[in-house]
Amino acid sequence: MLLQLQIIHGSTVSRIGLGTILLLLFLLLCLSFYCIGDDIYRPNDLFGISCGSSTNFSTLDTRNWTADIKFLSPTHQAVAAPPLTPSTQQGPYNSARLSQSQFTYSFPVTPGPKFLRLFFFSTSYPNFDRSKACFTVQAGPYTLLQDFNASLNADADDDPGNTNVLFREFCVHVGDGERLKITFIPSATDSYAFINGIEIVSMPSYLYYTNPKVHTAELPRFVGGETYEVDNNSALETMYRLRCGDAIIPASGDTGMLRIWDVDTKYVISQSVESIDFGHKTNLSFTEKTPNYTAPDLLYRSLRNMGPNASINISFNLTWRLPVDPGFTYMLRLHFCQLNPLVNQSGDMIFLIFIQDHLVENMVDIFSWTDKQRGVPVVRDYAVNISAKGNQKKAYISLKMRPHPQSKIMDAQLNAIELFKINDPTGNLAGPDPDHLPQTPNDQMSTKKNNSTMRTLVSVAGAVSSVVLFSFIIAFLLIKRRKNVAVNKGSSKKYRTSRGSSSLSIPTDLCRHFSIAEMRAATNNFDEVFVVGVGGFGNVYKGQIDNGSTTVAIKRLKPGSRQGIREFRNEIQTLSPLRHPNIVSLIGYCYEGNEMILVYDFMDHGSLRDHLYDTDNPSLSWKHRLQICIDVARGLHYLHRGAKQVIIHRDVKSTNILLDEKWVAKVSDFGLSRIGEPTGISMSIVSVNTEVKGSIGYLDPEYYKRFLLTEKSDVYSLGVMLLEVLSGRQPLLHSEEKQRMSLVKWAKHCYENGSLTEIVDEELKGKLAPQCLRKFVEVALSCLLEDGTQRPSMNDLVELLEFALQLQDDVVNCAVESPVNFEDVQ
Ligand SMILES: *[C@@H]1O[C@H](CO)[C@@H](O)[C@H](O)[C@H]1NC(C)=O
Ligand SMILES: *[C@@H]1O[C@H](CO)[C@@H](O)[C@H](O)[C@H]1NC(C)=O
Ligand SMILES: *[C@@H]1O[C@H](CO)[C@@H](O)[C@H](O)[C@H]1NC(C)=O
Ligand SMILES: *[C@@H]1O[C@H](CO)[C@@H](O)[C@H](O)[C@H]1NC(C)=O
Ligand SMILES: *[C@@H]1O[C@H](CO)[C@@H](O)[C@H](O)[C@H]1NC(C)=O
Ligand SMILES: *[C@@H]1O[C@H](CO)[C@@H](O)[C@H](O)[C@H]1NC(C)=O
């Protein structure tokens, strides 16, 4: 379930296991619409081996793992051991096979090409020090890894989700009557070899290996040469398997070979847009040359393209840059599929492809390539030799595309990229270990961050309603929490921050302290009749303090919850210094014995969500909805810019917007919020080193894909909320037909089709000024741009929304309005 991926780290190329995948996977599995693996290809051989384990088990991603002992050669001296720090990821990481002398696994497989996947968890094991793991791995005649220093490779990885897991995928061809033997050889007398998991999966004969019967014209093109063949004597290492412009496809979503299709975001270096999904209206037609197991159907329905950049600058290139090891030949596979309804004939969209700045295609016309049919997937393979220059340790493969000057549509597009390293003439596939970098710029950055005011905080507190969504988030936070506890620290650059401190330093001058007796008195000993909200964190009560003169909301965290303490402290520390009409006020807290209680201003009208859908409350008028949106933007602007520190809320959604007795909206729930230093620049990156938190349906893709948390993540979530306010429905509705399931996608679709009124709440139909509607949707969609830098700031949003309100007013002044159910505010 891990993915191989390379990242640039200082001057090093390092391949890592991406810890976040567990999270994404979990999300995706939960959003069950996402990945139902079509069992298109059924592998003859499928071994999932948990090394050192004596039991069989399966993981969330449907992988099955069995004990390893029967595949281990009898003479081995390898021991089985559990890691000293448990792994934070699902997979074969709860045990390892370790030895200071060589050991071999032998698998009875059918002849043909196989995926061979290796899973490592770099940590200390009883009697095996983490830093002493250094070994070579051979499979048949191939050297897959050479003097592989596992801890060094794990540390060279600066991915925040990384938890010392390393993953490698290879392709090897097994001949008739052979067994697949995998040997682990310690590099020196004091070092040892280890392995946590091995997976072997058959693949179709000519999926990546070249069919000897194929016509020369269809052979992979050799950049700067003629053609190339990947023959059965070759072994391959998967360097990248990237889906362009959309979310990851996990192993369970593959065509039966358990491949993971990662996002390409990290490797795109030019501006580009992620195109809107072309949906599922058109059935794809796979062909003999591109059979249905080539890649998941889903992959061909979304793509990355150039968008408006192309028409602005004709020589603009859509560019990817992939770090690789020098001294090898690589096979690059590009996946295309034309589903664009605007492409109806040859020449409508033609573009050029450059690899390493060589023009390899001077006229890509996908439509012509596929016999003038839309929805026909097609792949093209290229080979490129990356020579080693001096003792240079890293190199890049660049891929560029740009429209042909005669193309009718000025665009270029790509669905997926696969890149494989091919063994050198000695049978070697191993690249050098990454440089050891004691203090890279990245280290300095994160050290600085550690010293800053950032807090590592997790929240299980949250919305007052929406219990279903809630328990779901809790589940994932709990999983993540287990991770936090177990994060193995081998290196200075890992995220340490103030997680350890447990004293409750609370600015008591700003925040009143209540005794438990006062709290009991306020709620008649927490009488159920005063419960106004229930969440995973506990109950919210309506209470009276100061002899009944003030009504307050009392949020009582589940007594004794040790986890709750961080969220509790975060909420108090973040919220108590804040004063703004559109931020809910924290009156005080109670922290006594097991009790953790927060006391807020009481909000008469509950949450915004309570007035949008699934409710008996009367519908809000459009103007009031707009006013609420403006309030929210103002409150968030204050968080982003007005307070001493930049505060990123991280959980903007309709259930966290509360309405007071005058219908003024206030942002609430700071359990997930984060504080960063103000930077004065347009975006403060508070942390790239954090776990993804927030609510499904509202999450900024830049945040969950790249761990880039900025104020613009709140802008994104607000964008989702704006659409929610307009349409009176939740962001994700599984009961809806596919196209409408995601509110964001549906809105984009309607906007492009000029059918905006479709998404307007039934209650509002006919009551919106068309200009106002258009403006509002444009504003919302601008918040939802993939690239955070292009989204408006919160301040811009306040103005834009006020302008939208103005547009509505202009019309109302010369027409009749309006379904008012309360008086105007502000
Ligand atoms: C995949 O293609 C093969 C051969 O064309 C066909 O027999 C099979 O039914 C297809 N599978 C699916 C799930 O479409
Ligand atoms: C685990 O699975 C293997 C292969 O399916 C089987 O042979 C073995 O008996 C199983 N072991 C246990 C402990 O269930
Ligand atoms: C794991 O085992 C279950 C039950 O035997 C099976 O349904 C599933 O397909 C297996 N998973 C894989 C990836 O083979
Ligand atoms: C692995 O690399 C680390 C960091 O450079 C080093 O401290 C350790 O000694 C190396 N291990 C071996 C066995 O060479
Ligand atoms: C797509 O395929 C499904 C099932 O094979 C079929 O019911 C449907 O009519 C097809 N749609 C189109 C547009 O061809
Ligand atoms: C696009 O790439 C080609 C090939 O490398 C190069 O000649 C051209 O200058 C690039 N265009 C821009 C605007 O960089």
Side-chain angles (χ1 to χ4, degrees):
M1 78 177 298
L2 290 157
L3 152 91
Q4 159 169 330
L5 185 90
Q6 296 210 341
I7 52 162
I8 311 162
H9 174 258
S11 61
T12 327
V13 176
S14 63
R15 230 151 306 147
I16 54 158
L18 190 70
T20 55
I21 289 178
L22 172 66
L23 167 67
L24 291 172
L25 237 159
F26 183 77
L27 285 175
L28 299 177
L29 286 173
C30 293
L31 307 177
S32 53
F33 69 87
Y34 187 82
C35 52
I36 312 301
D38 302 318
D39 264 350
I40 292 172
Y41 175 76
R42 289 188 180 277
N44 292 332
D45 300 308
L46 178 51
F47 295 91
I49 308 298
S50 177
C51 303
S53 167
S54 52
T55 54
N56 297 342
F57 59 97
S58 51
T59 41
L60 253 182
D61 60 350
T62 73
R63 281 184 153 110
N64 298 325
W65 302 96
T66 58
D68 66 334
I69 195 77
K70 70 176 180 186
F71 303 106
L72 205 48
S73 53
T75 57
H76 77 94
Q77 291 169 1
V79 298
L84 290 179
T85 24
S87 169
T88 58
Q89 297 199 5
Q90 269 220 330
Y93 305 118
N94 296 327
S95 63
R97 188 60 71 176
L98 311 105
S99 178
Q100 285 183 325
S101 55
Q102 155 174 352
F103 60 98
T104 300
Y105 283 96
S106 170
F107 295 95
V109 292
T110 55
K114 313 285 163 205
F115 285 109
L116 168 56
R117 302 188 175 114
L118 303 178
F119 302 76
F120 302 98
F121 178 41
S122 169
T123 185
S124 290
Y125 296 84
N127 305 320
F128 291 93
D129 186 75
R130 178 177 187 267
S131 69
K132 296 241 168 69
C134 191
F135 51 95
T136 294
V137 181
Q138 295 178 336
Y142 309 108
T143 303
L144 308 183
L145 299 170
Q146 176 85 48
D147 295 331
F148 177 70
N149 183 330
S151 62
L152 182 58
N153 278 273
D155 290 346
D157 142 27
D158 70 349
D159 193 287
N162 168 56
T163 44
N164 288 322
V165 160
L166 295 158
F167 172 76
R168 296 288 189 275
E169 183 187 271
F170 303 91
C171 307
V172 293
H173 199 280
V174 181
D176 279 339
E178 289 174 19
R179 286 175 81 93
L180 178 53
K181 290 189 177 161
I182 306 164
T183 304
F184 296 82
I185 310 159
S187 297
T189 44
D190 65 339
S191 56
Y192 69 95
F194 78 102
I195 178 75
N196 299 82
I198 299 174
E199 186 173 71
I200 297 167
V201 184
S202 317
M203 66 173 97
S205 302
Y206 303 120
L207 176 60
Y208 299 120
Y209 287 92
T210 309
N211 185 345
K213 295 197 188 104
V214 86
H215 193 268
T216 322
E218 285 164 27
L219 290 173
R221 315 254 182 105
F222 202 31
V223 174
E226 294 289 305
T227 56
Y228 187 88
E229 277 180 63
V230 183
D231 63 35
N232 288 349
N233 294 322
S234 313
L236 278 58
E237 177 177 2
T238 314
M239 305 298 283
Y240 302 96
R241 178 169 292 121
L242 305 174
R243 178 184 188 194
C244 297
D246 208 333
I248 183 169
I249 300 180
S252 52
D254 192 34
T255 54
M257 289 171 262
L258 301 171
R259 294 169 297 177
I260 295 165
W261 301 81
D262 190 20
V263 295
D264 70 336
T265 333
K266 275 186 180 164
Y267 309 101
V268 182
I269 60 167
S270 59
Q271 294 250 331
S272 66
V273 293
E274 290 183 19
S275 126
I276 296 159
D277 193 322
F278 284 115
H280 293 254
K281 272 190 204 143
T282 315
N283 288 339
L284 299 187
S285 329
F286 286 92
T287 60
E288 208 179 317
K289 281 181 202 156
T290 314
N292 50 13
Y293 51 69
T294 309
D297 179 286
L298 199 57
L299 180 100
Y300 293 108
R301 299 183 183 276
S302 60
L303 48 79
R304 188 177 288 281
N305 63 2
M306 306 180 79
N309 298 307
S311 39
I312 294 165
N313 178 354
I314 178 83
S315 70
F316 172 85
N317 295 309
L318 178 55
T319 308
W320 289 262
R321 195 164 88 133
L322 304 166
V324 294
D325 301 318
F328 291 92
T329 297
Y330 290 85
M331 198 258 276
L332 178 67
R333 169 167 294 181
L334 305 181
H335 296 250
F336 305 93
C337 183
Q338 190 56 272
L339 276 171
N340 187 340
L342 300 175
V343 173
N344 292 306
Q345 56 187 30
S346 303
D348 277 358
M349 193 194 288
I350 24 181
F351 55 93
L352 321 178
I353 300 178
F354 301 87
I355 295 173
Q356 296 300 76
D357 295 326
H358 286 274
L359 182 64
V360 294
E361 298 286 351
N362 60 10
M363 213 179 258
V364 180
D365 186 341
I366 304 168
F367 192 71
S368 299
W369 280 5
T370 57
D371 297 328
K372 307 195 177 182
Q373 275 187 297
R374 273 200 294 266
V376 182
V378 53
V379 302
R380 277 286 196 275
D381 294 337
Y382 306 90
V384 51
N385 185 34
I386 304 294
S387 55
K389 297 195 187 81
N391 50 8
Q392 167 203 33
K393 276 197 162 186
K394 72 163 179 184
Y396 295 94
I397 288 182
S398 83
L399 170 65
K400 297 182 182 176
M401 298 184 171
R402 72 153 185 256
H404 192 282
Q406 271 140 37
S407 178
K408 212 167 122 202
I409 299 169
M410 282 293 167
D411 209 346
Q413 64 179 52
L414 184 61
N415 294 75
I417 301 174
E418 289 180 278
L419 184 70
F420 300 90
K421 185 201 275 180
I422 299 169
N423 68 281
D424 71 11
T426 67
N428 179 47
L429 266 171
D433 269 335
D435 284 326
H436 183 57
L437 301 164
Q439 188 77 7
T440 67
N442 265 311
D443 291 336
Q444 283 154 9
M445 254 171 63
S446 51
T447 312
K448 197 165 132 234
K449 260 187 262 150
N450 290 354
N451 296 341
S452 83
T453 46
M454 286 190 0
R455 300 280 131 74
T456 308
L457 294 150
V458 184
S459 176
V460 276
V464 171
S465 58
S466 159
V467 177
V468 174
L469 187 66
F470 213 83
S471 51
F472 176 9
I473 292 162
I474 303 278
F476 109 43
L477 290 180
L478 287 180
I479 287 188
K480 298 295 287 179
R481 168 160 301 280
R482 249 183 274 130
K483 289 182 72 156
N484 291 349
V485 175
V487 173
N488 177 296
K489 292 298 89 171
S491 108
S492 63
K493 71 187 163 60
K494 292 289 154 65
Y495 191 52
R496 251 182 268 164
T497 67
S498 54
R499 201 174 273 161
S501 90
S502 62
S503 73
L504 190 69
S505 53
I506 283 169
T508 41
D509 50 325
L510 285 165
C511 191
R512 179 166 159 192
H513 178 256
F514 292 95
S515 70
I516 188 68
E518 279 174 286
M519 293 290 91
R520 289 190 189 286
T523 56
N524 193 19
N525 204 10
F526 302 110
D527 190 335
E528 299 251 320
V529 298
F530 295 116
V531 172
V532 290
V534 183
F537 53 84
N539 290 343
V540 180
Y541 300 84
K542 180 177 184 175
Q544 306 276 339
I545 55 167
D546 301 337
N547 297 322
S549 62
T550 312
T551 305
V552 292
I554 295 179
K555 180 155 131 187
R556 183 192 195 195
L557 278 70
K558 287 209 172 106
S561 144
R562 233 182 291 143
Q563 314 168 348
I565 183 96
R566 283 201 204 100
E567 299 84 61
F568 181 63
R569 190 167 52 214
N570 195 31
E571 177 106 4
I572 297 171
Q573 284 174 335
T574 313
L575 193 49
S576 59
L578 302 183
R579 295 286 178 268
H580 188 272
N582 300 116
I583 301 289
V584 78
S585 295
L586 181 69
I587 297 173
Y589 70 96
C590 166
Y591 182 58
E592 230 175 274
N594 278 338
E595 292 285 354
M596 291 178 284
I597 297 171
L598 295 160
V599 181
Y600 305 89
D601 275 345
F602 188 75
M603 296 286 130
D604 285 79
H605 289 114
S607 77
L608 171 58
R609 159 85 160 250
D610 295 342
H611 298 272
L612 289 179
Y613 44 88
D614 302 339
T615 174
D616 297 330
N617 290 322
S619 170
L620 294 180
S621 76
W622 175 236
K623 271 188 71 177
H624 279 102
R625 294 188 195 201
L626 261 175
Q627 188 59 55
I628 286 166
C629 295
I630 295 170
D631 285 349
V632 174
R634 284 194 182 132
L636 291 171
H637 171 58
Y638 170 74
L639 292 183
H640 292 174
R641 285 286 166 260
K644 263 188 241 135
Q645 295 151 317
V646 174
I647 299 171
I648 298 181
H649 187 281
R650 287 217 291 178
D651 204 11
V652 177
K653 57 179 176 180
S654 58
T655 46
N656 283 343
I657 305 305
L658 302 181
L659 301 167
D660 75 3
E661 77 283 1
K662 293 189 187 125
W663 297 93
V664 175
K666 300 184 187 239
V667 179
S668 81
D669 209 314
F670 288 73
L672 291 181
S673 63
R674 277 189 164 245
I675 299 176
E677 301 288 357
T679 56
I681 55 167
S682 67
M683 284 211 298
S684 335
I685 296 173
V686 165
S687 165
V688 291
N689 244 356
T690 176
E691 304 100 25
V692 173
K693 303 270 159 32
S695 300
I696 287 133
Y698 297 88
L699 274 181
D700 174 9
E702 204 162 46
Y703 175 38
Y704 70 72
K705 287 183 190 164
R706 296 167 59 195
F707 295 92
L708 202 56
L709 176 65
T710 69
E711 301 99 289
K712 296 298 179 72
S713 304
D714 283 350
V715 171
Y716 185 92
S717 308
L718 181 61
V720 178
M721 204 200 85
L722 294 180
L723 293 178
E724 206 181 339
V725 164
L726 176 66
S727 61
R729 57 154 275 189
Q730 343 182 3
L732 284 175
L733 254 187
H734 299 289
S735 52
E736 280 284 352
E737 61 179 279
K738 214 150 204 162
Q739 193 178 36
R740 299 185 167 197
M741 205 141 45
S742 155
L743 178 56
V744 171
K745 285 196 172 173
W746 184 36
K748 285 182 179 169
H749 178 81
C750 293
Y751 180 73
E752 305 222 322
N753 285 0
S755 56
L756 275 186
T757 46
E758 258 186 66
I759 58 167
V760 175
D761 190 343
E762 286 303 325
E763 300 286 342
L764 298 176
K765 287 244 158 89
K767 291 166 183 158
L768 272 72
Q771 309 91 300
C772 175
L773 171 61
R774 171 153 286 274
K775 186 75 204 169
F776 185 85
V777 173
E778 280 169 4
V779 171
L781 294 183
S782 70
C783 296
L784 299 169
L785 287 173
E786 183 71 20
D787 178 358
T789 57
Q790 309 216 340
R791 297 176 204 151
S793 71
M794 234 3 121
N795 194 33
D796 297 338
L797 275 174
V798 173
E799 286 175 16
L800 289 166
L801 291 168
E802 281 172 342
F803 180 59
L805 181 62
Q806 187 65 45
L807 291 174
Q808 179 72 17
D809 277 339
D810 291 349
V811 171
V812 172
N813 289 341
C814 41
V816 270
E817 243 247 306
S818 75
V820 187
N821 42 29
F822 45 80
E823 64 282 6
D824 272 5
V825 286
Q826 286 199 325

